[in-house]
Amino acid sequence: MAYSDKVIDHYENPRNVGTFKTETDIDAGEVGTGLVGAPACGDVMRLEIRVVDGTIADARFKTFGCGSAIASSSLATEMIKGMTLDQAAQIKNTQIVEELNLPPVKIHCSVLAEDAIKAAIEDYKKKRSK
Amino acid sequence: MTAATKPIEIPVPTGVKLPIFLDNHSTTAVDPRVVETMIPFFTEHYGNAASRNHVFGWTAEAAVENARGQIAALLGGDAKEIVLTSGATESNNLAIKGAASFLKKQGNHIITVETEHKSVLDTCKRLQREGFEITYLRPAKDGLVTPEQVVEAMTDKTILVSIMVANNEIGVVQPIEAIGAAVKARNPKALFHTDAVQAFGKVPFDVEKAKVDLAAVSAHKLYGPKGIGALWVRRKPRVRIDPIIDGGGHERGMRSGTLPVPLIVGFGKAAALAMDEMAAETLRVRALRDRLYRGITSRLTETYVNGSLECRLPGNLNISFAFVEGESLLMALKDIAVSSGSACTSASLEPSYVLRALGVGDELAHTSIRFGIGRFNTEAEVDYVIELVARSVERLRSLSPLWEMHQDGIDLNSIQWTPH
Ligand SMILES: Cc1ncc(COP(=O)(O)O)c(C=O)c1O
Ligand code: FES
């Protein structure tokens, strides 16, 4: 299958790779983590958001999955930076499909990225309400 | 940022040309010596081998008979036992459907193995819908089936046993001679068919020693042209099967259709070359495979070979790179032609059924890569591949949350995943 230039770009130069856990200057209370997918399904995404004053100041990801899954999560971290939680929660997988030119068989990779954003927001909110 | 965020660049050594073809189980390059023998049969000797009354026909027929002899010799059989087909998919269809149809009064039970090629499995599935009973044997973790296992599955209704010599994904070579002996000892009237495609010309295989009745082979896996194969059909004692293609009665009525003479000539030459060169080629190809295996495993931890490493085709290496999804690795190896058992690379989005049958977990099946080394690969190519694979896996692991968890000592089975 031929990959779009954008998928290749995100795959070769993924943005915001990593985890806040190893970044010592960050207060764990500011971080929300979404871990979605399953190893047996061939795709797992972990997306972390760092929330400052109600907006997503920064994001990190790591992904086990195909090139389109890696690209979807890399793109997702770029998209949500600077958004409020409500804005980020509104992101639809179709925006990712469109931006990356994903073919039909790769739509589930974008769905996973959407799920990862939502799960990270959920996790952050849960922490806060404690 | 980190190394993970940059593409890998490795200088290509002199003498190595990209892309590198390491997918020799899917097909092979036609040997230039084969091409050379084929060419006159397109432009000069273009007669129909069935034309009995002019020199064009005679020349074509003589060439076909010569090729038949070359193919039969590599199988340890006789030229008269070769039924030429369009390839092994057709040969497997003809063997199984033809035998089932001819023997349906004798019984309705067929035995095969879960790891067979789709041209065997899907043929069996069709027969199942038509009322035949099929037993699919499950191989052991190393991919092997035992003669005892086969005999145990046989009943008085068993008319056909179909077991491949060597597997196309994991390269595992079955103890075909022991299985043949056991099948015939249990019931000499039950037919024994083998898909010998991957073994043909790569490892010793002899229809007499294996006591088979039917054997499917294909030219394009052996440096011959695509679109030509054969079904070897035993004559002593005579094995009878019904045709699946009717027409002019070619190939003793078992397969009608005008013979593609240039392809057949090429197939014959390919078989003759293998006959002469197999012993030396095996040593060379196996040395390259072992170099690849050692190179990869000395550079990377958490790699798992799928299937028996001992009972294996010399050119095959099927290996899982834990925590790195196969398609993402293929993307990094874009200048190398290999294939993966990952679901993401398949139309069905299911991981390899062969690895599943071995009991390889889905999470490891998704990370598997099949390397197929062949006649035209070189040591310099293998060394380049080792470097590229090692660096790519390291890079993708640094992107993988599973690798990070594994490094942190987290048991991945203890996590509540969200399958989708
Ligand atoms: C084990 C095995 N059997 C059968 C086939 C089918 O052969 P062909 O491509 O000649 O139809 C193949 C190749 O795809 C194979 O590897
Ligand atoms: S992760 Fe499987 S297709 Fe994208």
Side-chain angles (χ1 to χ4, degrees), chain B residues 25-27 85-92 115-120 164-169 195-199 216-221 225-230 370:
Chain B
H25 301 298
S26 76
T27 195
T85 65
S86 64
T89 296
E90 187 190 327
S91 300
N92 282 329
T115 49
E116 294 285 313
H117 190 259
K118 284 285 180 192
S119 56
V120 168
M164 70 199 329
V165 185
N167 185 272
N168 45 298
E169 276 190 38
D195 174 345
V197 170
Q198 295 289 343
V217 291
S218 186
H220 75 99
K221 312 279 186 179
K226 294 170 186 50
I228 186 73
R370 176 187 71 179

XYZ file of all heavy atoms in Angstrom, chain B residues 25-27 85-92 115-120 164-169 195-199 216-221 225-230 370, ligand 1:
308
model
N 9.864 -16.573 -0.917
C 8.795 -17.564 -0.779
C 7.575 -17.148 -1.579
O 6.755 -17.965 -1.939
C 8.372 -17.736 0.673
C 9.492 -18.170 1.553
N 10.155 -19.357 1.377
C 10.077 -17.575 2.608
C 11.099 -19.459 2.295
N 11.076 -18.392 3.051
N 7.450 -15.865 -1.823
C 6.275 -15.415 -2.574
C 6.504 -15.624 -4.064
O 5.614 -16.066 -4.768
C 5.961 -13.953 -2.260
O 6.861 -13.099 -2.908
N 7.697 -15.333 -4.510
C 8.077 -15.650 -5.888
C 9.582 -15.448 -6.008
O 10.225 -15.030 -5.038
C 7.315 -14.778 -6.907
O 7.455 -15.356 -8.221
C 7.830 -13.348 -6.938
N 0.022 -27.702 -15.358
C -1.100 -26.846 -14.953
C -0.654 -25.384 -15.007
O 0.491 -25.097 -15.351
C -1.530 -27.160 -13.499
O -0.442 -26.800 -12.632
C -1.869 -28.636 -13.316
N -1.543 -24.503 -14.581
C -1.195 -23.077 -14.582
C -0.395 -22.680 -13.346
O 0.022 -21.540 -13.212
C -2.474 -22.242 -14.637
O -3.239 -22.458 -13.471
N -0.204 -23.605 -12.424
C 0.529 -23.284 -11.202
C 0.054 -24.187 -10.080
O -0.822 -25.038 -10.274
N 0.616 -23.997 -8.911
C 0.320 -24.916 -7.822
C -1.068 -24.717 -7.228
O -1.643 -25.645 -6.673
C 1.372 -24.790 -6.731
N -1.616 -23.526 -7.373
C -2.993 -23.336 -6.912
C -3.904 -24.288 -7.671
O -4.723 -25.005 -7.083
C -3.441 -21.872 -7.132
O -2.623 -21.024 -6.323
C -4.899 -21.675 -6.768
N -3.713 -24.316 -8.973
C -4.510 -25.246 -9.779
C -4.156 -26.696 -9.464
O -5.044 -27.551 -9.361
C -4.295 -24.961 -11.274
C -5.235 -25.790 -12.126
C -4.913 -25.725 -13.621
O -4.445 -24.675 -14.086
O -5.131 -26.741 -14.304
N -2.876 -26.972 -9.282
C -2.470 -28.361 -8.994
C -3.105 -28.859 -7.698
O -3.583 -29.995 -7.633
C -0.948 -28.448 -8.879
O -0.330 -28.036 -10.074
N -3.115 -28.008 -6.672
C -3.737 -28.414 -5.407
C -5.246 -28.605 -5.572
O -5.826 -29.548 -5.038
C -3.453 -27.373 -4.315
C -2.039 -27.502 -3.754
O -1.475 -28.598 -3.703
N -1.460 -26.382 -3.333
N -1.966 -25.415 8.880
C -0.972 -24.473 8.364
C -0.759 -24.581 6.855
O 0.176 -23.991 6.313
C 0.379 -24.712 9.066
O 0.652 -26.114 9.023
C 0.355 -24.258 10.499
N -1.611 -25.348 6.177
C -1.448 -25.499 4.726
C -1.700 -24.174 4.004
O -2.305 -23.237 4.549
C -2.446 -26.553 4.209
C -2.184 -27.945 4.719
C -0.991 -28.621 4.032
O -0.901 -28.576 2.800
O -0.163 -29.202 4.747
N -1.288 -24.151 2.743
C -1.541 -22.984 1.894
C -3.041 -22.855 1.625
O -3.773 -23.835 1.629
C -0.795 -23.182 0.565
C -0.775 -21.967 -0.313
N -1.622 -21.824 -1.385
C -0.012 -20.852 -0.285
C -1.375 -20.669 -1.986
N -0.403 -20.050 -1.332
N -3.482 -21.627 1.385
C -4.912 -21.389 1.149
C -5.465 -22.194 -0.027
O -6.652 -22.517 -0.048
C -5.152 -19.891 0.892
C -5.097 -19.045 2.166
C -6.344 -19.223 2.997
C -6.287 -18.384 4.266
N -7.347 -18.751 5.224
N -4.626 -22.499 -0.986
C -5.133 -23.253 -2.135
C -5.481 -24.692 -1.748
O -6.230 -25.365 -2.450
C -4.131 -23.223 -3.300
O -2.868 -23.716 -2.890
N -4.984 -25.155 -0.630
C -5.386 -26.447 -0.075
C -6.568 -26.245 0.880
O -7.599 -26.913 0.775
C -4.209 -27.125 0.662
C -4.687 -28.308 1.496
C -3.155 -27.564 -0.342
N 1.623 -30.668 3.344
C 2.692 -30.029 2.567
C 4.064 -30.502 3.020
O 4.237 -30.940 4.158
C 2.584 -28.504 2.663
C 2.926 -27.947 4.019
S 2.330 -26.247 4.373
C 2.309 -25.424 2.824
N 5.045 -30.384 2.133
C 6.412 -30.714 2.545
C 6.954 -29.549 3.375
O 7.352 -29.726 4.522
C 7.343 -30.962 1.333
C 8.718 -31.413 1.837
C 6.753 -32.011 0.396
N 6.966 -28.346 2.794
C 7.534 -27.199 3.499
C 6.545 -26.043 3.479
O 5.885 -25.804 2.466
C 8.850 -26.773 2.868
N 6.468 -25.350 4.594
C 5.507 -24.268 4.729
C 6.033 -22.963 4.129
O 7.203 -22.624 4.263
C 5.162 -24.068 6.211
C 4.080 -23.037 6.393
O 4.352 -21.838 6.504
N 2.844 -23.484 6.385
N 5.124 -22.221 3.516
C 5.520 -20.996 2.827
C 5.751 -19.815 3.767
O 6.441 -18.868 3.416
C 4.472 -20.622 1.782
C 3.064 -20.735 2.300
O 2.614 -21.816 2.666
N 2.369 -19.629 2.378
N 5.192 -19.860 4.977
C 5.415 -18.736 5.897
C 6.580 -18.985 6.840
O 7.458 -18.142 6.996
C 4.154 -18.472 6.745
C 3.143 -17.618 6.040
C 2.020 -17.178 6.976
O 2.289 -16.885 8.160
O 0.868 -17.157 6.515
N 1.638 -30.768 -1.087
C 1.967 -29.499 -1.711
C 3.482 -29.347 -1.531
O 3.952 -29.044 -0.441
C 1.190 -28.387 -0.995
C 1.578 -26.994 -1.488
O 2.617 -26.861 -2.157
O 0.835 -26.051 -1.174
N 4.206 -29.606 -2.619
C 5.675 -29.618 -2.529
C 6.295 -28.324 -3.062
O 7.514 -28.257 -3.286
C 6.228 -30.826 -3.290
N 5.466 -27.304 -3.226
C 5.893 -26.070 -3.883
C 7.174 -25.481 -3.296
O 8.133 -25.183 -4.010
C 4.761 -25.024 -3.797
C 5.248 -23.657 -4.248
C 3.577 -25.471 -4.630
N 7.191 -25.292 -1.984
C 8.316 -24.594 -1.366
C 9.547 -25.483 -1.234
O 10.667 -24.989 -1.152
C 7.914 -24.044 0.010
C 6.837 -22.967 -0.032
C 7.337 -21.644 -0.604
O 8.541 -21.385 -0.694
N 6.411 -20.790 -1.023
N 9.331 -26.791 -1.198
C 10.456 -27.712 -1.024
C 11.141 -28.032 -2.342
O 12.340 -28.326 -2.376
C 9.952 -29.014 -0.387
N 2.126 -31.399 -5.821
C 1.952 -30.131 -6.539
C 3.249 -29.326 -6.510
O 3.880 -29.198 -5.454
C 0.833 -29.325 -5.902
N 3.641 -28.794 -7.676
C 4.821 -27.932 -7.743
C 4.545 -26.739 -8.661
O 3.583 -26.741 -9.422
C 6.077 -28.702 -8.244
C 6.534 -29.711 -7.208
C 5.813 -29.371 -9.578
N 5.386 -25.722 -8.550
C 5.190 -24.501 -9.321
C 6.547 -23.955 -9.762
O 7.518 -24.050 -9.013
C 4.480 -23.473 -8.434
O 4.151 -22.327 -9.171
N 6.604 -23.378 -10.969
C 7.902 -22.935 -11.493
C 8.393 -21.637 -10.855
O 9.591 -21.449 -10.653
C 7.814 -22.751 -13.014
N 7.459 -20.735 -10.511
C 7.917 -19.390 -10.145
C 8.530 -19.292 -8.763
O 9.057 -18.249 -8.379
C 6.794 -18.359 -10.325
C 5.722 -18.375 -9.292
N 5.705 -17.495 -8.242
C 4.624 -19.145 -9.151
C 4.625 -17.718 -7.498
N 3.947 -18.721 -8.029
N 8.483 -20.390 -8.000
C 9.175 -20.386 -6.709
C 10.597 -20.909 -6.876
O 11.355 -20.987 -5.921
C 8.440 -21.280 -5.719
C 6.942 -21.060 -5.647
C 6.563 -19.891 -4.795
C 5.043 -19.837 -4.665
N 4.604 -18.739 -3.842
N 9.361 -19.279 -14.680
C 8.319 -18.284 -14.966
C 7.031 -18.501 -14.165
O 6.754 -19.598 -13.706
C 8.053 -18.488 -16.459
C 8.432 -19.912 -16.728
C 9.565 -20.222 -15.789
N 6.258 -17.439 -14.004
C 4.952 -17.521 -13.349
C 3.912 -18.078 -14.315
O 4.009 -17.869 -15.520
C 4.524 -16.135 -12.882
C 5.414 -15.578 -11.775
C 5.096 -14.122 -11.519
C 6.049 -13.474 -10.529
N 7.482 -13.676 -10.819
N 2.933 -18.760 -13.759
C 1.828 -19.237 -14.594
C 2.011 -20.647 -15.112
O 1.297 -21.075 -16.006
N 2.978 -21.367 -14.576
C 3.151 -22.764 -14.967
C 3.509 -23.595 -13.737
O 4.303 -23.188 -12.901
C 4.234 -22.926 -16.074
C 4.304 -24.357 -16.574
C 5.597 -22.437 -15.609
C 3.152 -24.786 -17.447
N 2.842 -24.730 -13.633
C 3.107 -25.634 -12.521
C 2.795 -27.041 -12.976
O 2.558 -27.274 -14.165
N 2.827 -27.959 -12.046
C 2.530 -29.341 -12.412
C 1.921 -30.069 -11.230
O 2.123 -29.697 -10.073
C 3.804 -30.058 -12.859
N 8.722 -12.227 7.786
C 9.254 -13.381 7.070
C 10.334 -12.914 6.098
O 10.077 -12.089 5.232
C 8.148 -14.084 6.296
C 8.666 -15.250 5.446
C 7.611 -15.838 4.555
N 7.260 -14.955 3.456
C 6.360 -15.253 2.508
N 5.702 -16.389 2.565
N 6.097 -14.397 1.542
C 2.995 -23.688 -0.330
C 2.367 -23.087 -1.553
N 1.402 -23.766 -2.191
C 0.811 -23.265 -3.289
C 1.161 -22.041 -3.811
C 0.466 -21.531 -5.035
O 1.306 -21.580 -6.143
P 0.987 -20.770 -7.468
O 1.384 -19.371 -7.205
O 1.816 -21.446 -8.500
O -0.472 -20.909 -7.757
C 2.158 -21.308 -3.160
C 2.570 -19.960 -3.623
O 1.880 -18.978 -3.463
C 2.764 -21.845 -2.007
O 3.716 -21.176 -1.349
